[in-house]
Amino acid sequence: MTFPFVPMAEIRRGGILESLHHGAAVVADAEGRVLQSWGDPAFVTFPRSSLKPFQAIPLVETGAADAAGLTEEHLALACASHNAEDFQVSLVRGWLDRLGLTESALVCGPDLPRSQADQAKVWRGGGDRSRIFHNCSGKHCGFLTLTKHLGAPVAGYADPAHPAQRLYLEAFSELLGEDAARLPRGVDGCGLPAIALPMATMAKAAARWAAAKVATDSRRTAIRRLQSAIGAFPDHLSGRDSATGKIVRATQGRVLLKGGAEGYVVAFVPEQGLGITIKMADGASRAKMGVLAALLGRLGLVDAADALAADAEGPIRDSNGGLVGEVRVSLPQ
């Protein structure tokens, strides 16, 4: 088997190469053409949470979001892998109250906020792990909202045969140009189905989502509303001072993105109808946002791409906060 990845980023400490990240990347357009690729574009893997902007389409398209009085902040959170920061936790709690449900309705397991400071607040307040703190709780609230709007059973919304899951797969199938239900399937970390597909196929679907290239006005409008929400509230997708927010703001919202676990990230360029997929071979989150920033520079979508890549990744520091290393993108020409 040919190794499907190429060197993409170096970790340098004191100017000396310490580690090397390999990966694959694809740039495609809404006509289904692969414009550029690094590594094997046919490599099959799980986009994981990068699928959330697709999973949220039926929430808006069916009218469920409007019926529940959801705002753009809720729509952004439906696409999020959040850090359980204060504003995100407040939104999820209020969302469940709006639905007349408790956190026990969420399939995602109990968790703690990502930052040590926020975890300390929980412990000091006498709290414990909560399903609300799970990074996917916004997505799950979206599926619960859709489920209640459809009049379907709340229990079992994680089942691939559940009406809410079928609506997502139907919408995703149109953007893929094939039946998403036939793709290889696993289970995501939050308990919902996870599907696997080639990097190039995902990039093409992302390009069609970016261009809102779908057959009906209702679905087109739903996608555009999700794009608007992500562009307006990029910090909701991860957290304050996140790489996601930095890249969206650096491009003035011309580039939207959604990261996934195990080193995956998808970017959308609505004005040009482009989709970008990146997968780091070692599954690390480190380096993927720097690689994305470099790719955006190659495409002429950002100025000072090197500075954005460095900002998105952040420096490597010692335990006293001293600068000791860097993540340097080494994307092949």
Side-chain angles (χ1 to χ4, degrees):
M1 177 181 175
T2 304
F3 190 60
F5 304 107
V6 297
M8 285 194 159
E10 300 173 353
I11 309 305
R12 291 190 171 266
R13 184 178 298 268
I16 298 171
L17 178 65
E18 183 172 39
S19 299
L20 180 65
H21 290 290
H22 290 73
V26 179
V27 181
D29 67 16
E31 301 304 316
R33 295 175 295 215
V34 172
L35 305 180
Q36 297 183 58
S37 65
W38 295 261
D40 184 4
F43 178 69
V44 176
T45 190
F46 292 95
R48 301 290 296 276
S49 285
S50 293
L51 287 169
K52 287 176 180 175
F54 301 90
Q55 291 172 313
I57 293 172
L59 170 65
V60 183
E61 183 181 15
T62 61
D66 288 338
L70 301 186
T71 66
E72 278 200 326
E73 289 189 82
H74 293 100
L75 297 185
L77 200 66
C79 300
S81 299
H82 64 75
N83 292 344
E85 295 177 19
D86 51 1
F87 70 100
Q88 296 160 332
V89 171
S90 178
L91 270 171
V92 173
R93 284 183 173 142
W95 196 342
L96 288 171
D97 288 343
R98 190 183 293 255
L99 295 174
L101 298 172
T102 67
E103 69 171 276
S104 64
L106 298 169
V107 168
C108 53
D111 206 346
L112 287 168
R114 286 189 179 172
S115 81
Q116 291 184 349
D118 287 334
Q119 290 174 18
K121 288 179 185 177
V122 172
W123 298 129
R124 285 198 301 268
D128 202 343
R129 294 178 180 273
S130 168
R131 295 176 188 273
I132 289 172
F133 296 147
H134 193 286
N135 75 91
C136 294
S137 62
K139 173 181 74 171
H140 284 252
C141 283
F143 273 114
L144 286 170
T145 304
L146 175 60
T147 293
K148 293 201 74 173
H149 185 71
L150 296 173
V154 169
Y157 72 87
D159 189 328
H162 190 276
Q165 295 295 332
R166 291 206 307 268
L167 281 177
Y168 147 57
L169 289 175
E170 188 274 324
F172 192 39
S173 294
E174 181 182 10
L175 292 161
L176 284 174
E178 61 181 283
D179 186 1
R182 295 181 177 274
L183 293 172
R185 183 187 302 148
V187 179
D188 215 324
C190 66
L192 295 190
I195 55 179
L197 65 164
M199 296 283 294
T201 303
M202 186 65 190
K204 294 171 188 177
R208 295 184 188 112
W209 188 94
K213 189 175 181 180
V214 288
T216 64
D217 288 339
S218 60
R219 183 163 294 169
R220 190 172 304 111
T221 298
I223 292 172
R224 292 301 188 203
R225 286 180 64 184
L226 291 168
Q227 292 173 356
S228 176
I230 292 170
F233 297 99
D235 289 343
H236 287 53
L237 270 72
S238 182
R240 297 183 183 96
D241 200 36
S242 68
T244 297
K246 289 175 180 177
I247 292 173
V248 171
R249 279 188 282 271
T251 62
Q252 293 82 49
R254 290 180 295 114
V255 176
L256 309 174
L257 62 140
K258 181 65 194 77
E262 297 297 326
Y264 208 102
V265 63
V266 171
F268 313 90
V269 189
E271 289 180 359
Q272 298 185 25
L274 298 179
I276 302 167
T277 53
I278 296 168
K279 166 69 177 179
M280 306 310 294
D282 56 5
S285 292
R286 184 174 70 177
K288 71 180 182 182
M289 292 301 192
V291 171
L292 174 58
L295 280 180
L296 296 178
R298 294 269 184 99
L299 295 170
L301 292 166
V302 295
D303 297 323
D306 289 346
L308 179 58
D311 188 36
E313 289 298 334
I316 297 171
R317 299 187 182 276
D318 65 18
S319 56
N320 292 306
L323 178 63
V324 297
E326 64 176 334
V327 179
R328 185 181 301 176
V329 176
S330 56
L331 192 64
Q333 295 295 327

